[in-house]
Amino acid sequence: MKQSTEKALKLIRAEKFAEAAGVLDRAISAEPDDPEGYILFGNMLITAGQPARSEAFFKKALMLDAASAEAQFGYGNALSESGAYEKALDHFEKAQVNGMNSGNLFYMIGLCAMHLDRAGQALASFQRAVELDDRDTSARFQYGLMLAKFGQLAPAEEQFKKVLTLVPRHADAHYNLGVIAMYHHDPAGARLHFKRALRQNPKHLLAAHGIEQLKKKFPERSEK
């Protein structure tokens, strides 16, 4: 199975999904009781944009190994891609119980919790994701958003600035720094970040709206 999965992974990375499916189909036929082939086939289908089809493969993997954290995580990914956040969260939490402890897992738990309006769980999960992988800018950005949601603007600002050290062209980080600057009655700082957000994404409607709001509230300063 290992040789087949390595070959399939290379094909998946090259987006040669039909060829990868052939390799995995043969591997599964040769070793039908090995959950690894089903897990990888399911992950491939998610990557190929077919999360609904992938669910059957994760179910089969869990029938073979109910304690597989990888299968639980993959199943959770498939469900979250389909918008079934409650069910997805259940599988992610089972993956954690079964020993998975990765930044990506806590990021996905945070996203599901956020969609389910469980702000406290989302905040804690994104914080843990950043602790486990300090270069994960997606997790760090969401962590900043949740901190801001709880009114913790100083630590939120710190997170958005850290995002920009890793991804200087992160338009949404600039936008949120602009919002925080407006809250602190710093129109010059707000305008600077809104303009930078628009420079990176000319279609950033929220940043454009922010600049218009500045022109109304601080006409003299915003025009400088």
Side-chain angles (χ1 to χ4, degrees):
M1 179 66 75
K2 183 178 180 181
Q3 190 174 13
S4 296
T5 54
E6 288 178 352
K7 182 177 180 180
L9 280 170
K10 289 180 181 179
L11 291 168
I12 292 169
R13 294 189 189 102
E15 298 187 356
K16 296 180 179 180
F17 301 121
E19 292 180 48
V23 171
L24 290 172
D25 188 51
R26 290 189 292 274
I28 289 171
S29 296
E31 299 182 60
D33 295 328
D34 189 334
E36 185 178 1
Y38 299 98
I39 294 169
L40 186 51
F41 207 125
N43 288 333
M44 181 200 69
L45 288 170
I46 294 174
T47 303
Q50 302 178 59
R53 284 188 60 202
S54 74
E55 293 179 28
F57 290 89
F58 296 120
K59 287 180 181 178
K60 179 63 177 179
L62 288 169
M63 285 175 62
L64 295 168
D65 182 4
S68 172
E70 290 76 14
Q72 294 287 5
F73 180 72
Y75 202 171
N77 276 333
L79 290 165
S80 66
E81 287 287 333
S82 300
Y85 300 114
E86 187 81 51
K87 292 181 180 179
L89 184 58
D90 180 59
H91 284 286
F92 289 136
E93 290 174 342
K94 286 178 180 176
Q96 183 184 358
V97 169
N98 288 333
M100 186 174 285
N101 184 41
S102 68
N104 198 26
L105 171 63
F106 284 98
Y107 173 68
M108 294 307 299
I109 290 175
L111 284 183
C112 288
M114 185 176 67
H115 282 292
L116 294 168
D117 294 323
R118 300 176 187 175
Q121 184 180 15
L123 175 65
S125 298
F126 289 133
Q127 181 179 6
R128 183 59 179 153
V130 170
E131 288 171 353
L132 290 168
D133 183 0
D134 64 358
R135 296 188 67 81
D136 185 342
T137 54
S138 295
R140 190 174 293 283
F141 176 74
Q142 294 297 336
Y143 180 37
L145 287 182
M146 294 310 301
L147 286 167
K149 184 179 181 71
F150 278 93
Q152 300 182 44
L153 297 186
E157 183 177 14
E158 180 183 352
Q159 295 306 316
F160 294 134
K161 286 180 177 178
K162 286 183 178 178
V163 168
L164 289 172
T165 63
L166 296 168
V167 186
R169 297 185 177 185
H170 199 296
D172 289 334
H174 275 300
Y175 167 73
N176 281 280
L177 285 170
V179 172
I180 292 173
M182 282 188 71
Y183 182 84
H184 290 309
H185 306 289
D186 177 12
R191 187 168 185 269
L192 175 67
H193 284 294
F194 289 149
K195 288 183 70 175
R196 287 179 176 173
L198 283 169
R199 190 178 305 144
Q200 304 309 325
N201 178 10
K203 295 182 179 180
H204 203 299
L205 298 180
L206 291 174
H209 178 70
I211 288 177
E212 290 303 313
Q213 290 296 105
L214 283 171
K215 288 180 179 179
K216 293 176 182 178
K217 291 183 178 181
F218 308 97
E220 294 182 4
R221 298 180 188 179
S222 62
E223 291 301 324
K224 290 182 181 180

